């Protein structure tokens, strides 16, 4: 019998955190963009401490995202920040740069570590490598298929985290590509110095000439330019396959989504997890729960299985 | 390669040792030309674990031959094993790495920690260099990999000269930096556009260069760009640091890397030739070093795209991306390779690599900057039959030339 997986959400604000906690989230990824990548919102150390104070009595966990690609300047800030995270009482630090690992070892060795490099966390041997370095959890690339996910779970003693819902990042550049393009148009005499908001609330997206149906959100922040998938992963109806395998944490990515949407999604996954564990033997997926998500799904964004059932070539 | 020796001299850092010039070699012929034209080391791809699944990669036998050839010049051969492995890739890694070690490969360039770790365990004579696919930007991460036992880290292409200097001053390790060639506009390894657009895995060599495709930009329902305007793209200009070698040398970069395992033999020879001359000129006389226009001219004859200096001085902006249709930047094509030259008669045997004919102006060039222009006179085949044009790929052509040539000198022609 496997243990109930954690239902992990993101939150753009304390208010969203409270609503998603009420909807059934067991844990949250929070942080600030100075150190963390592609966050739903900003939580400074003080706000993190506040989140922990709310979460801790409810047995909800708070994980701090320190998963940026770290530059020299940030390295100098890490010791204080890591100490601050420990003081705030976060349950784990999410990292993808060895500089963070070294800072945690030195300044707060009691903190749990979750390894997350997004698209490059692709096999169990690498999971175990980071396990030997101190990581307790391996966050899988979203480009893996289900067989690969299950195979990784079988071959590692680390906790395995899988994104089960929401958009994924498909391209990250240090460059400010939208602003560069707007500058080019301006220089080219086309648009008269139009100022375009490019942050994550700007509603910007790309359409590739040959793929008119697919809208790829794009935004800029202090960490560069991010392009996101045109579909939202939704593993709700196949969630039992991941639960049977004992996958430890299911993440719902709430980036670029409304609190109302995230609340409905979290509640849907909560129902499915609870229904499965009430009686795994006789569990049957209730299509009606998926309908609740479909009702609020942006019609331009496909609810897909991501790469879970796809074969890729190279 | 031993650690750098540096001396402080009148407040300015001078280097006594030359940085390594590291060139790409997509196949055995390119390896030979890269080495002959002055590369201190070349990097190649094997049959597995490399990121150029379309390149005609080396078999172990070809690697051995490449290593033997390189040794004659005192040059080294590295193998790129820079994929992010999936479970199914794990089984053969040990044998593959042992095979590389046995073939005399000096180093692998690896991104996935499990390939790094496995190499150190099973193939101790192989050096392990951390790939740019790890997108390392900071000295602390470099320190981590040094403590893991790596002698060299290839930095992210996003590091500035200033950041490289900080890294060098904090960690005693060899630093390799890309100085020339095409660039991912994303952080290396942090792009799965191909996976989404074409079901090809970019981090295992399936990149379909979707960053160079054209996109319309929308805000809510409105298209930002006009229908007839040049569209949005992420495509970057190519890197070229020929004009800034002293800065790179003085900041302490240990290996200057040229990108392009998919590029032609003409490209590799031309680019290596220019950087070789520049590096040597600097070390012959650091105080009196001057950039030569002919090096820039040569580089431009091989360029595929407009050039820029990447992140070394500032984050690239509007001027560093390619929004307009790409015209072939280089107005020259590779036309032939010199096989033999006879001093007495002034006759050369040239292996045809592209169409050329009498009356046409061509350029001959060789290692070290030897160069002359020539109007093609009478040409014959080996049986001395006069030809109106050299039409057949790899055909041996006899022709008279105005100045002496050496085997492996090259001939190029203007694109019509």
């Amino acid at each position: 019998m496997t243990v109930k997986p954690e239902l992990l959400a993101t939150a753009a604000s304390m208010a969203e955190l409270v609503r998603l906690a009420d909807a059934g989230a067991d844990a949250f990824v929070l942080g600030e963009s100075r150190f963390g990548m592609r966050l739903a919102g900003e939580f400074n150390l003080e706000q993190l401490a506040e989140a922990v104070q709310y979460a801790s009595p409810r047995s909800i966990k708070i994980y701090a995202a320190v998963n940026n690609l770290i530059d020299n300047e940030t390295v100098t800030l890490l010791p204080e920040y890591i100490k601050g995270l420990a003081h705030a009482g976060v349950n784990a630090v999410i990292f993808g740069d060895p500089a963070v690992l070294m800072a945690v070892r030195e300044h707060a060795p009691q903190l749990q570590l979750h390894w997350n490099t997004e698209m490059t966390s692709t096999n169990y041997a690498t999971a175990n490598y980071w396990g030997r370095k101190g990581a307790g959890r391996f966050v899988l690339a979203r480009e893996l298929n289900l067989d690969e996910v299950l195979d990784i779970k079988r071959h590692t003693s680390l906790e395995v985290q899988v994104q089960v819902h929401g958009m994924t990042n498909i391209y990250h550049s240090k460059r400010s590509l939208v602003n560069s393009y707007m500058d080019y148009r301006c220089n080219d005499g086309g648009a008269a110095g139009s100022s375009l908001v490019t942050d994550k609330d700007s509603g910007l997206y790309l359409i590739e000439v040959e793929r008119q149906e697919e809208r790829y959100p794009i935004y800029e922040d202090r960490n560069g330019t991010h392009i996101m998938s045109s579909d939202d992963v939704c593993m709700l109806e196949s969630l039992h396959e991941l639960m049977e395998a004992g996958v430890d944490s299911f993440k719902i990515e709430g980036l670029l989504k409304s609190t109302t949407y995230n609340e409905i999604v979290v509640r849907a996954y909560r129902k499915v997890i609870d229904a499965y564990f009430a009686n795994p033997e006789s569990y049957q997926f209730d299509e009606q729960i998926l309908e609740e998500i479909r009702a609020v799904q942006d019609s331009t964004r496909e609810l897909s299985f991501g790469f879970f059932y796809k074969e890729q070539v190279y | 390669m031993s650690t750098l020796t540096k001396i402080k001299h009148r407040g300015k850092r001078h280097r006594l040792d030359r940085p390594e010039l590291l060139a790409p070699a997509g196949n055995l012929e390119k390896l030979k030309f890269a080495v002959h034209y002055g590369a201190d080391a070349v990097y190649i791809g094997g049959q597995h674990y490399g990121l150029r699944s379309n390149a005609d990669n080396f078999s172990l036998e070809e690697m051995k031959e490449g290593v033997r050839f390189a040794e004659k010049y005192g040059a080294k051969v590295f193998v790129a094993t820079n994929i992010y492995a999936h479970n199914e890739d794990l089984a053969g890694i040990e044998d593959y790495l042992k095979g590389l070690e046995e073939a005399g490969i000096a180093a692998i360039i690896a991104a996935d920690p499990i390939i790094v770790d496995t190499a150190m365990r099973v193939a101790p004579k192989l050096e392990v260099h951390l790939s740019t696919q790890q997108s390392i930007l900071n000295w602390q991460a470099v320190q981590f990999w040094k403590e893991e036992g790596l002698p060299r880290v290839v930095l992210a292409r996003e590091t500035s000269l200033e950041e490289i200097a900080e890294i060098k001053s904090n960690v005693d390790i060899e630093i390799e930096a890309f100085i020339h060639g095409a660039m991912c506009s994303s952080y290396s390894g942090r792009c799965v556009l191909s996976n989404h657009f074409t079901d090809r895995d970019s981090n295992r060599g399936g990149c379909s260069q979707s960053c160079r495709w054209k996109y319309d930009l929308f805000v809510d329902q409105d298209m930002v760009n006009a229908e007839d305007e040049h569209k949005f793209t992420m495509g970057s200009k190519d890197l070229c640091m020929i004009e800034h070698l002293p800065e790179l040398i003085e900041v302490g970069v240990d290996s200057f890397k040229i990108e392009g395992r998919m590029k032609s033999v003409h490209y590799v020879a031309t680019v290596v030739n220019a950087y070789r001359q520049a590096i040597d000129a600097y070390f012959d006389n650091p105080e009196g070093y001057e950039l030569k226009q002919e090096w820039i001219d040569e580089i431009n004859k091989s360029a595929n795209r407009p050039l820029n200096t990447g992140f070394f001085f500032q984050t690239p902006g509007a001027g560093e991306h390619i929004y307009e249709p790409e015209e072939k930047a280089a107005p020259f094509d590779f036309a032939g390779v010199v096989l033999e030259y006879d001093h007495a008669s002034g006759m050369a045997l040239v292996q045809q690599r592209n169409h050329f004919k009498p009356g046409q102006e061509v350029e001959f060039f060789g290692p070290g900057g030897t160069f002359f222009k020539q109007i093609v006179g009478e040409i014959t085949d080996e049986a001395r039959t006069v030809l109106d044009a050299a039409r057949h790929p790899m055909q041996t052509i006899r022709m008279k030339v105005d100045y002496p040539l050496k085997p492996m000198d090259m001939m190029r022609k203007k694109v019509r």
Side-chain angles (χ1 to χ4, degrees):
Chain A
M1 183 61 206
T2 55
V3 182
K4 240 186 198 189
E6 163 188 284
L7 186 55
L8 173 63
T10 59
S13 64
M14 196 58 209
E16 183 172 21
L17 185 147
V18 170
R19 279 175 66 183
L20 300 189
D22 286 346
D26 300 313
F28 288 89
V29 175
L30 307 174
E32 54 190 293
S33 56
R34 184 76 187 79
F35 299 97
M37 203 182 278
R38 290 183 286 277
L39 299 165
E42 295 286 315
F43 281 73
N44 63 26
L45 283 175
E46 204 176 309
Q47 292 162 317
L48 266 179
E50 193 192 332
V52 171
Q53 274 159 27
Y54 174 82
S56 183
R58 293 168 175 80
S59 298
I60 289 170
K61 292 183 173 159
I62 302 295
Y63 305 143
V66 194
N67 59 339
N68 266 352
L69 292 158
I70 305 286
D71 58 15
N72 289 332
E73 193 192 333
T74 309
V75 167
T76 62
L77 305 175
L78 278 177
E80 281 314 303
Y81 188 63
I82 296 293
K83 284 185 232 168
L85 292 177
H87 187 251
V90 303
N91 298 91
V93 168
I94 304 163
F95 78 108
D97 191 310
V100 177
L101 176 77
M102 294 180 88
V104 170
R105 274 182 191 165
E106 189 176 340
H107 300 289
Q110 74 278 18
L111 280 176
Q112 292 283 312
L113 285 161
H114 294 179
W115 173 254
N116 182 7
T117 51
E118 302 210 335
M119 46 277 269
T120 66
S121 306
T122 48
N123 70 75
Y124 58 78
T126 297
N128 295 335
Y129 174 89
W130 290 112
R132 293 195 291 279
K133 302 296 167 200
R137 177 180 292 192
F138 194 60
V139 181
L140 299 194
R142 281 77 55 104
E143 294 74 31
L144 300 176
N145 65 37
L146 184 65
D147 289 343
E148 292 176 314
V149 170
L150 302 186
D151 207 30
I152 289 174
K153 176 60 195 166
R154 276 193 290 274
H155 287 91
T156 182
S157 58
L158 273 72
E159 292 177 358
V160 168
Q161 178 184 315
V162 171
Q163 182 176 333
V164 293
H165 196 94
M167 63 175 69
T168 64
N169 177 256
I170 65 173
Y171 172 97
H172 178 198
S173 176
K174 188 179 180 180
R175 302 157 189 253
S176 295
L177 289 165
V178 179
N179 272 305
S180 292
Y181 178 60
M182 298 309 281
D183 289 348
Y184 160 76
R185 293 177 66 231
C186 192
N187 299 341
D188 200 37
S194 55
S195 65
L196 191 65
V197 180
T198 62
D199 66 19
K200 68 185 171 59
D201 301 320
S202 61
L204 285 171
Y205 59 92
L206 299 175
I207 292 185
E208 201 268 318
V209 176
E210 305 289 320
R211 292 167 175 76
Q212 289 296 322
E213 298 305 308
E214 295 162 20
R215 300 178 172 191
Y216 295 89
I218 181 169
Y219 70 92
E220 295 179 351
D221 64 12
R222 62 179 303 148
N223 298 318
T225 304
H226 311 271
I227 302 175
M228 309 301 291
S229 63
S230 64
D231 56 336
D232 288 313
V233 176
C234 176
M235 277 295 276
L236 195 71
E237 66 180 279
S238 295
L239 208 61
H240 56 278
E241 298 199 59
L242 295 168
M243 290 191 278
E244 278 161 25
V247 170
D248 302 272
S249 177
F250 294 162
K251 185 182 181 193
I252 292 168
E253 178 55 76
L255 180 65
L256 306 188
K257 304 287 191 199
S258 71
T259 299
T260 304
Y261 177 88
N262 288 331
E263 190 175 32
I264 288 167
V265 171
V266 167
R267 190 167 288 135
Y269 281 81
R270 179 80 274 153
K271 282 185 205 168
V272 167
I273 294 169
D274 290 348
Y276 176 85
F277 277 89
N279 194 348
E281 253 71 289
S282 65
Y283 168 80
Q284 285 217 312
F285 175 63
D286 177 1
E287 185 79 22
Q288 190 50 44
I289 303 177
L290 184 54
E291 285 305 321
E292 291 164 14
I293 296 178
R294 286 200 183 114
V296 289
Q297 180 67 19
D298 178 343
S299 62
T300 64
R301 295 182 57 79
E302 186 196 348
L303 278 175
S304 81
F305 289 111
F307 288 94
F308 281 104
Y309 300 102
K310 260 189 189 176
E311 209 49 54
Q312 292 172 82
V313 296
Y314 53 95
Chain B
M1 194 169 146
S2 61
T3 311
L4 283 176
T5 317
K6 294 194 197 78
I7 52 165
K8 291 278 182 187
H9 182 65
R10 292 197 295 275
K12 192 181 169 192
R13 184 157 59 180
H14 279 240
R15 279 177 61 172
L16 300 176
D17 63 326
R18 283 167 209 233
E20 169 187 276
L21 182 58
L22 174 58
N27 60 31
L28 196 50
E29 182 182 48
K30 292 174 193 174
L31 180 151
K32 290 176 179 174
F33 276 89
V35 169
H36 183 73
Y37 278 74
D40 300 304
V42 294
Y43 62 100
I44 65 175
Q47 306 285 349
H48 305 287
Y49 306 114
L51 271 186
R52 294 290 177 274
S53 53
N54 290 330
D56 47 355
N57 291 316
F58 284 66
S59 66
L60 275 179
E61 281 313 306
E62 288 170 322
M63 283 186 195
K64 287 176 188 164
E65 188 181 338
V67 168
R68 279 196 298 273
F69 183 89
E71 273 171 356
K72 286 187 279 185
Y73 292 78
K76 292 174 181 170
V77 180
F78 305 157
V79 172
T81 55
N82 50 350
I83 65 161
Y84 280 100
H86 285 227
N87 300 335
E88 65 189 18
D89 304 314
L90 297 173
I93 293 179
E94 290 195 7
D95 288 342
Y96 183 71
L97 295 173
K98 284 180 196 163
L100 297 184
E101 183 183 45
E102 195 189 299
I105 298 301
I108 58 164
I109 305 164
D112 195 316
I114 201 57
I115 296 180
V116 171
D117 197 50
T118 307
M120 301 216 279
R121 201 159 39 77
V122 305
K125 277 186 277 179
L126 270 183
E127 273 191 13
V128 181
H129 301 169
L130 195 74
S131 165
T132 196
Q133 293 300 111
Q134 273 278 358
S135 285
I136 299 284
L137 301 165
N138 74 79
W139 65 264
Q140 182 84 80
V142 172
Q143 178 69 31
F144 173 88
W145 291 109
K146 179 184 161 75
E147 288 173 16
E148 287 294 288
L150 276 65
R152 183 185 294 193
V153 167
V154 191
L155 293 177
R157 284 175 245 224
E158 286 77 7
T159 41
S160 67
L161 268 183
E162 205 181 318
E163 288 171 319
I164 295 173
E166 282 174 45
I167 290 168
K168 283 298 292 186
S169 67
N170 276 288
V171 191
D172 182 17
I173 191 169
E174 291 173 11
I175 292 296
E176 178 176 314
F178 279 92
I179 58 158
H180 195 91
M183 287 185 286
C184 292
S185 60
S186 67
Y187 282 109
S188 296
R190 302 301 179 101
C191 168
V192 288
L193 293 173
S194 302
N195 306 56
H196 281 260
F197 291 143
T198 61
D199 287 330
R200 295 172 58 85
D201 188 355
S202 55
N203 280 329
R204 284 191 288 175
C207 171
S208 42
Q209 304 215 24
S210 308
C211 63
R212 301 194 184 277
W213 298 358
K214 303 296 180 194
Y215 302 82
D216 287 314
L217 179 65
F218 287 79
V219 56
D220 297 321
Q221 299 303 316
D222 305 321
M223 199 158 100
V224 173
N225 52 298
E227 202 57 69
D228 58 352
E229 238 180 310
H230 293 304
K231 293 185 189 299
F232 175 87
T233 178
M234 298 80 91
S236 168
K237 291 184 178 178
D238 286 359
L239 182 63
C240 174
M241 289 295 283
I242 189 73
E243 297 182 33
H244 303 284
L245 284 185
E247 291 102 304
L248 287 167
I249 291 168
E250 285 157 22
V251 94
V253 176
D254 300 272
S255 177
F256 291 175
K257 184 173 203 167
I258 299 165
E259 178 277 345
R261 282 195 279 138
M262 306 288 276
K263 297 278 168 50
S264 71
V265 65
H266 171 248
Y267 176 91
V268 173
T270 301
V271 175
V272 167
N273 205 6
Y275 281 100
R276 175 78 278 154
Q277 291 172 64
I279 294 168
D280 290 348
Y282 177 90
F283 281 93
D284 287 349
N285 182 6
E287 302 294 338
Y289 174 81
E290 274 181 46
L291 177 71
K292 284 193 181 164
Q293 185 59 39
E294 63 202 57
W295 302 331
I296 301 171
D297 292 345
E298 281 294 294
I299 292 236
N300 285 333
K301 285 173 188 174
S302 70
N304 293 291
R305 299 194 182 98
L307 303 170
N308 80 126
T309 57
F311 285 81
F312 284 108
F313 302 104
Q314 63 194 34
T315 299
E320 282 74 49
H321 297 94
I322 306 172
Y323 300 107
E324 290 163 26
E326 279 189 48
E327 285 171 28
K328 188 171 160 53
F332 286 86
D333 271 343
F334 179 32
V337 175
V338 175
L339 300 175
E340 283 176 34
Y341 172 77
D342 180 57
H343 277 274
S345 63
M347 296 297 286
L349 288 184
V350 175
Q351 188 180 61
Q352 192 266 27
R353 293 305 180 92
N354 206 330
H355 182 283
F356 65 94
K357 63 183 182 185
Q360 189 171 17
E361 187 183 76
V362 294
E363 295 180 3
F364 283 98
F365 68 98
T370 59
F371 176 89
F372 65 91
K373 289 183 180 183
Q374 171 83 44
I375 304 292
V376 178
E378 184 181 85
I379 60 173
T380 73
D381 64 12
E382 279 181 293
R384 313 288 168 107
T385 310
V386 176
L387 304 171
D388 65 334
R391 288 196 175 79
H392 303 293
M394 308 301 280
Q395 184 180 18
T396 301
I397 303 287
R398 283 174 54 87
M399 61 189 287
K400 187 147 173 39
V401 289
D402 296 342
Y403 300 95
L405 289 169
K406 290 179 180 156
M408 295 183 82
D409 282 358
M410 285 190 172
M411 184 177 103
R412 62 162 85 97
K413 61 167 189 172
K414 267 210 166 107
V415 176
R416 283 187 300 163

